[in-house]
Amino acid sequence: MNDPASPARNRIHGAGGAFERALGLPFFNVAVAIVILYAVFTAITGETFNTVNNQITIMRAAAVFLILGVGQTFAMTTGGIDISTGSMIGVVGAIVGSGLELGWMDPIYAIPSAILVGAVLGAFNGFNITVLGVPPLLATLGTFVAYRGFTQYYMGVNLVTGLPDVVVAVGRATVLGLPISVIVALAIAALGWFVLNRTLYGRYITAIGSNPSAAEATRINVKAITASTYVIQGALAGVAALVLMGRLDSASAAMGEGVELHVIAAVVLGGTYLFGGRSTMIGTLLGVYLIGMLENGLIQTGAGFFVQRIILGLLIIAAVALQLQQRRSGPG
Amino acid sequence: MRQLFRRLLVAAALTTAAATAAVAQDKPLRIGFVSHQHDITDLFGQLEIGFREALDAKGIKYELFQAAPTASNRHDEMLNILENMANLNLDYMVFGPSSLEQNTPGLVTVAGAGTKILMVDYEPKEGSSFPFEDAVLNWSVYNHGQMGEATGRWIAEHLKSQGKDSADVIMIWGPIASEISQDRGNGVLKGMEEVDGFTPNIIYDGYGDFQREKAYAEVERALIAYPSVEVIVGMNSVMALGSMSALEADGKLDDVLVTGMGGQPDELEMVARGKIGVAVSRDPRNMGENTANALIMHLEGREAEIPRVLYTALRTLDSVDSIRKWVPKAMLDIDAKLAE
């Protein structure tokens, strides 16, 4: 491809090659969508959308979804899915929240307890999927219902309020103007990216999603690794529960309801394959941001909340359709 | 893929050009309208109509930014909405919560942005104070507990008039931890117990989250488990309608008394048709008008004259005559409805 006689032509080819490489990135579509929508919302609203404060607001609202999205990316890369994340948040909120309110849990144990409770809930999902052989969608559908039922039974009509400062700080405090919840979410996303892309464990996860039989043949412990992704998801649900409790300074039986669809939509929009084998943590980050930007921007343009739901639904369909087309066309 | 990318770029350029051209140069009032649910036929939809009509009558120019969460119990979504509203440089925001406690962090953010708040449908408890209070111009409300009590009293007196001194009752509550639902439901219990010689027997508590479909599902299940039920109390209009539909589907509407609360037009039509026993009602358009008047008084520099809490009257509607008398025709022409 390189022509020693024509540096200019080589530069053009090089530039074209870089562009083609960009087109092949799994998160290219969502990145383009973000650029376009950002321009549109800025043009329409100008002074209110394109401000640092507003962007921080978007990221603060998106923090919970990003934390959950990292865990969902792990699960989906193995070819699975977890729709019990919202219900897991409810259980963590119920146990940790009531423990703090009633005084049998010291505030310093709030964070590790939330992570531990979440991990146990995730481990139960992992057990059902890998040991009992229940398909992930059905296994987590079962816990979606059961965990929520437990939360409603445990908490009833009670509302936990007046949480300790350490929990409220997780949801509301800022460092140099940036919310701690956003810093935590970005750190988790960075760690998730590193694990998936730079470790053997991450490569095993991708191999399992690409071809479980081949992965097993190469002596990868498919069941253990698959189960571990649900433990990770559960632990991150625990962190997300803390952030949510901190933001609301409360915990109730309805906490976390409905978040799972938002998270799955963000991960799929970001470019992670719904059917496993390909993941992009950067795409998950962008997908979460895109949805948050849509919700924020549509309110600011005066569009009704129903319009938001229609657009989000259509985006999900488009994202999955593009994924399927790319799979048919081959890698890259 | 390259072609698709080129097409996207062209589309974006055209959209941006059109949008830029459409941006208005006037500076009307910027008003947010946020409620825990939004249905054109129900409280907030009708309240918005009354609000807009009052502002339009005064010739006030405004832009209305509307939002509601996907469900009344999605307090995390509501918090996100309020934080977004705080970035909109709003002059005013009308706000109807299902739980004030869980929405306080969001309201503090809105107040911090300098927006004046007009609270609707949520009565502040006497002696209570809130960190965002200075931003609140007015509370346009009714007492949910009194609404419940009126319903409970009606149920007890109605059954006593039929010679019954007790009844098996199913309560269909709104979202768990919703103060509105708790106030109404506890009011119903109090109202029933206050009537001499009547003893309610609560056989089941279901949760419909203020949603018609959920109430339908709850009642459908409850009818199998509790066939002795005589009364079903829905804590809002749409849950009463859902309960009514479930009874109709099961062929038990003639055997079980359904009561609602709120006075949404569909609910009142069913009261007129005898399918729902009673709906204790408030006039949402009047509430909207009260809210608009508070805003107008603030614009005119008369903030000190704005009443802090303005109650709208509650009416017990259990017949065509009572509906005809108390419900504005603009909201519901009951005679025309019954003639359909």
Side-chain angles (χ1 to χ4, degrees):
Chain A
M1 291 294 260
N2 271 325
D3 181 353
S6 177
R9 188 175 296 158
N10 288 337
R11 276 198 298 276
I12 291 168
H13 277 302
F19 182 71
E20 280 174 3
R21 281 195 299 276
L23 277 177
L25 289 171
F27 51 82
F28 178 78
N29 297 330
V30 67
V32 168
I34 286 172
V35 169
I36 292 171
L37 282 172
Y38 197 101
V40 169
F41 287 139
T42 301
I44 295 173
T45 67
E47 59 190 34
T48 55
F49 183 81
N50 187 28
T51 64
V52 171
N53 203 33
N54 191 52
Q55 293 307 309
I56 288 177
T57 299
I58 293 172
M59 288 192 284
R60 186 169 44 224
V64 167
F65 301 114
L66 179 56
I67 294 167
L68 292 171
V70 170
Q72 191 70 249
T73 304
F74 274 87
M76 283 174 66
T77 307
T78 65
I81 195 166
D82 187 346
I83 61 170
S84 68
T85 46
S87 300
M88 286 198 276
I89 285 176
V91 175
V92 173
I95 294 174
V96 175
S98 58
L100 291 169
E101 191 188 45
L102 297 171
W104 52 260
M105 183 180 292
D106 196 292
I108 60 165
Y109 297 122
I111 295 170
S113 299
I115 295 171
L116 181 62
V117 171
V120 169
L121 297 173
F124 185 62
N125 279 333
F127 172 81
N128 293 334
I129 291 165
T130 59
V131 176
L132 300 184
V134 182
L137 181 64
L138 295 174
T140 56
L141 178 61
T143 49
F144 164 78
V145 175
Y147 289 162
R148 184 61 63 190
F150 169 81
T151 305
Q152 289 169 341
Y153 170 74
Y154 188 88
M155 294 197 74
V157 299
N158 297 318
L159 181 68
V160 171
T161 56
L163 293 168
D165 292 343
V166 64
V167 175
V168 176
V170 171
R172 296 195 198 171
T174 60
V175 173
L176 300 174
L178 203 58
I180 284 182
S181 57
V182 173
I183 295 171
V184 166
L186 290 173
I188 288 173
L191 184 61
W193 176 88
F194 180 81
V195 169
L196 264 185
N197 292 284
R198 292 289 184 265
T199 68
L200 194 58
Y201 173 72
R203 286 203 285 277
Y204 284 171
I205 289 175
T206 306
I208 290 168
S210 296
N211 191 330
S213 312
E216 194 129 25
T218 59
R219 304 249 180 130
I220 293 173
N221 191 335
V222 172
K223 288 188 176 179
I225 291 177
T226 301
S228 69
T229 62
Y230 290 92
V231 174
I232 291 171
Q233 173 70 296
L236 290 176
V239 176
L242 274 174
V243 171
L244 208 46
M245 280 198 284
R247 272 172 63 68
L248 296 169
D249 191 13
S250 67
S252 72
M255 208 171 87
E257 267 193 28
V259 301
E260 41 281 308
L261 291 182
H262 188 131
V263 171
I264 291 168
V267 173
V268 171
L269 278 170
T272 294
Y273 273 164
L274 195 55
F275 314 103
R278 189 180 88 168
S279 64
T280 162
M281 206 57 80
I282 295 174
T284 295
L285 171 65
L286 294 177
V288 166
Y289 176 74
L290 173 64
I291 295 177
M293 189 178 73
L294 254 179
E295 291 175 342
N296 176 284
L298 285 172
I299 288 176
Q300 294 208 20
T301 58
F305 35 92
F306 303 123
V307 172
Q308 195 185 108
R309 300 293 164 219
I310 292 170
I311 292 175
L312 186 58
L314 292 175
L315 273 176
I316 294 169
I317 293 169
V320 176
L322 272 169
Q323 272 189 14
L324 288 171
Q325 197 210 14
Q326 281 168 349
R327 272 172 75 99
R328 284 189 214 112
S329 324
Chain B
M1 184 54 79
R2 267 194 200 148
Q3 276 195 357
L4 175 64
F5 180 61
R6 278 194 212 109
R7 283 184 200 141
L8 280 173
L9 276 177
V10 169
L14 286 171
T15 310
T16 306
T20 310
V23 170
Q25 297 305 302
D26 289 340
K27 290 271 184 186
L29 279 184
R30 293 168 68 85
I31 304 175
F33 192 102
V34 180
S35 51
H36 64 85
Q37 55 179 231
H38 199 89
D39 178 340
I40 189 65
T41 64
D42 206 343
L43 169 70
F44 293 106
Q46 294 296 308
L47 195 151
E48 185 198 332
I49 291 172
F51 179 73
R52 283 182 182 267
E53 283 177 351
L55 292 180
D56 293 342
K58 272 283 188 176
I60 291 171
K61 283 166 85 173
Y62 58 92
E63 278 178 277
L64 201 72
F65 297 87
Q66 246 178 353
T70 46
S72 297
N73 60 358
R74 287 298 307 272
H75 301 294
D76 57 323
E77 263 191 53
M78 182 62 98
L79 177 57
N80 294 343
I81 286 170
L82 292 174
E83 288 176 343
N84 286 334
M85 287 285 167
N87 287 328
L88 286 180
N89 297 333
L90 296 175
D91 301 296
Y92 302 92
M93 187 182 80
V94 179
F95 184 58
S98 67
S99 163
L100 194 63
E101 205 156 8
Q102 295 189 78
N103 288 302
T104 294
L107 287 168
V108 167
T109 306
V110 170
T115 301
K116 289 296 182 188
I117 301 171
L118 297 145
M119 298 292 296
V120 296
D121 192 40
Y122 193 97
E123 184 196 14
K125 301 286 184 280
E126 207 167 310
S128 58
S129 66
F130 311 98
F132 53 86
E133 187 126 28
D134 288 343
V136 179
L137 290 181
N138 153 276
W139 304 70
S140 180
V141 301
Y142 53 93
N143 187 299
H144 294 279
Q146 286 177 2
M147 180 181 260
E149 281 177 48
T151 304
R153 270 197 302 276
W154 186 94
I155 292 169
E157 285 163 1
H158 176 79
L159 291 173
K160 275 195 74 180
S161 73
Q162 294 178 345
K164 295 182 182 175
D165 57 11
S166 75
D168 286 347
V169 180
I170 287 178
M171 305 278 280
I172 303 296
W173 301 80
I176 289 175
S178 159
E179 293 101 88
I180 288 177
S181 173
Q182 291 301 311
D183 286 349
R184 289 185 182 185
N186 291 333
V188 169
L189 297 172
K190 186 179 174 201
M192 285 194 288
E193 286 160 5
E194 274 177 354
V195 173
D196 278 338
F198 184 81
T199 309
N201 179 29
I202 311 302
I203 57 175
Y204 178 66
D205 290 298
Y207 288 87
D209 288 352
F210 287 153
Q211 293 175 36
R212 188 169 185 160
E213 302 75 25
K214 282 194 173 180
Y216 184 107
E218 277 287 295
V219 170
E220 200 177 40
R221 282 192 291 267
L223 288 174
I224 298 169
Y226 304 99
S228 67
V229 60
E230 296 166 276
V231 182
I232 296 180
V233 181
M235 294 312 152
N236 78 339
S237 305
V238 295
M239 291 203 300
L241 288 164
S243 303
M244 179 207 80
S245 298
L247 283 166
E248 255 183 333
D250 211 33
K252 291 186 175 162
L253 194 55
D254 291 337
D255 306 322
V256 180
L257 174 67
V258 179
T259 68
M261 270 182 254
Q264 186 250 28
D266 290 342
E267 181 190 31
L268 293 179
E269 184 190 341
M270 293 304 125
V271 170
R273 294 187 188 278
K275 295 186 178 185
I276 290 179
V278 67
V280 177
S281 169
R282 65 296 187 258
D283 185 348
R285 292 200 187 192
N286 176 249
M287 290 175 68
E289 194 183 337
N290 290 341
T291 303
N293 288 339
L295 185 157
I296 292 165
M297 288 171 79
H298 181 260
L299 274 180
E300 293 172 348
R302 294 157 54 206
E303 186 171 347
E305 296 172 37
I306 302 172
R308 182 174 179 265
V309 183
L310 199 55
Y311 286 92
T312 197
L314 293 173
R315 308 287 180 200
T316 302
L317 305 177
D318 60 356
S319 65
V320 178
D321 287 339
S322 59
I323 294 170
R324 211 181 267 135
K325 184 178 177 185
W326 293 113
V327 179
K329 248 188 175 174
M331 189 173 140
L332 175 67
D333 184 342
I334 192 62
D335 294 302
K337 255 307 174 187
L338 292 177
E340 279 172 15

